[in-house]
Amino acid sequence: MSTSHTLNIIPLVIVTDEHYVIHLAALLKSIELNHKTGEHIAVYVIADGVKAKSQKKIQASVDAAMFSINWVKMEDTIPAGVTLPLDRTSYPVTIYLRLFIANIVPKNTKKALFLDVDMIVLEDISKLYNHDLGDNVIAAVQDPRLLTFDNDWGGIFNYKELGFEAKTKYFNTGLIIFDMEKWAAGNYAQKIIDGINDNIKFANYPDQYGFNIIMANKWLELDAKWNYFASGDEEKPYLVHFISRKPFYTSYAYNPKYKELFYKYLKLTEWRNARPIGEFDRYIKKLKNIWVKVKKKVGLH
């Protein structure tokens, strides 16, 4: 791929499993309807057991002229010899896959964007992607709930031992712009895994813990509207992040306006007739996440 051609491409990496593929549909549709500047969007979907039928429905849901969708198997993204941290949380092992973005996008990619699947984009994605990172390795948004390392319920509990200032800013890993050259050169993926493993009992939000202790003060802070939590009431966020309860759960209890927006986009996809999911199914999903880690820990397959 020539350099001139890559300038007109936005590489976007998203991780999903079958449970969240409905969210992928709404996310891609929201990007499509708000993207006006003409760049092609090369989407790399790291798929954890996404059915062929669902992949076809995703393809049918978006504008093929705007998007190319590349399905990447989860196991193909993890480099040989890398052992993922087996923490005790109910977060799926897929949270670590953003670390291996260099194995997913083409080798000559200068800059790549990672988005959590539980989002919708309400502004032109090119405005996000085109941020100048300067000397920074990544760009992200300060986590609106945690803010700084010394947060007493979810921060970096051993920040003093690690030599950080109490008010070191803490970012959310749901949205990251990567300078791919600096990311690879710094071997940050391995450093983050080592940082989590070395401090596993403090890693309450495992991937975020690792990212924050290794990338502290090496990230460009983006406007809070670029990763705006659904629990807020911003009139015009650029991107809504549906933390915790998703908008397709019957138990969703955050801003109803954002849920309406989610369904506005979803109704333009092959999931237009999807029914909301009850609490029982949500719990089963979380239990499965824990069981996968238990099996890995005790060597079952």
Side-chain angles (χ1 to χ4, degrees), residues 29-96:
K29 204 69 193 174
S30 70
I31 290 170
E32 178 186 314
L33 294 187
N34 294 298
H35 180 42
K36 311 292 184 202
T37 51
E39 298 94 336
H40 184 78
I41 302 169
V43 184
Y44 300 87
V45 183
I46 307 174
D48 176 13
V50 176
K51 295 172 184 166
K53 186 174 74 171
S54 297
Q55 294 185 19
K56 284 200 183 88
K57 283 170 72 176
I58 287 288
Q59 298 281 171
S61 293
V62 298
D63 177 359
M66 184 183 291
F67 292 96
S68 54
I69 299 182
N70 308 277
W71 296 92
V72 185
K73 283 190 184 149
M74 181 171 87
E75 13 336 336
D76 295 344
T77 65
I78 303 168
V82 169
T83 305
L84 297 181
L86 294 173
D87 56 79
R88 294 189 299 273
T89 70
S90 66
Y91 294 103
V93 289
T94 51
I95 60 171
Y96 295 114

Side-chain angles (χ1 to χ4, degrees), residues 4 11-12 37 39 61 78 83 94 117 119 144 150 157 159-160 174-175 200 202 219 227 234 240 246 248 275 291:
S4 60
L12 169 62
T37 51
E39 298 94 336
S61 293
I78 303 168
T83 305
T94 51
V117 72
M119 295 176 157
D150 62 349
F157 296 142
Y159 71 86
K160 284 181 190 156
L175 176 152
I200 198 79
F202 297 105
W219 57 284
N227 187 351
E234 168 65 45
V240 174
K246 308 308 171 201
F248 58 91
R275 299 170 66 85
W291 175 236

Side-chain angles (χ1 to χ4, degrees), residues 115-140:
L115 293 181
D116 271 353
V117 72
D118 57 347
M119 295 176 157
I120 51 172
V121 179
L122 305 172
E123 179 54 272
D124 197 321
I125 198 167
S126 64
K127 291 184 182 173
L128 173 62
Y129 180 74
N130 288 328
H131 277 94
D132 182 354
L133 271 56
D135 293 331
N136 298 287
V137 181
I138 61 170

Side-chain angles (χ1 to χ4, degrees), residues 1-3 5-15 28 31 35 38-46 66-70 72 98 101-116 125-126 128-131 175-181:
M1 203 180 279
S2 71
T3 311
H5 186 45
T6 56
L7 293 176
N8 295 321
I9 291 180
I10 296 175
L12 169 62
V13 177
I14 305 168
V15 181
L28 294 179
I31 290 170
H35 180 42
E39 298 94 336
H40 184 78
I41 302 169
V43 184
Y44 300 87
V45 183
I46 307 174
M66 184 183 291
F67 292 96
S68 54
I69 299 182
N70 308 277
V72 185
R98 69 201 79 199
I101 192 164
N103 290 17
I104 298 153
V105 297
K107 289 282 174 256
N108 61 346
T109 303
K110 297 278 190 281
K111 191 162 66 167
L113 176 60
F114 175 89
L115 293 181
D116 271 353
I125 198 167
S126 64
L128 173 62
Y129 180 74
N130 288 328
H131 277 94
L175 176 152
I176 305 175
I177 309 170
F178 289 84
D179 179 311
M180 293 307 301
E181 291 170 343

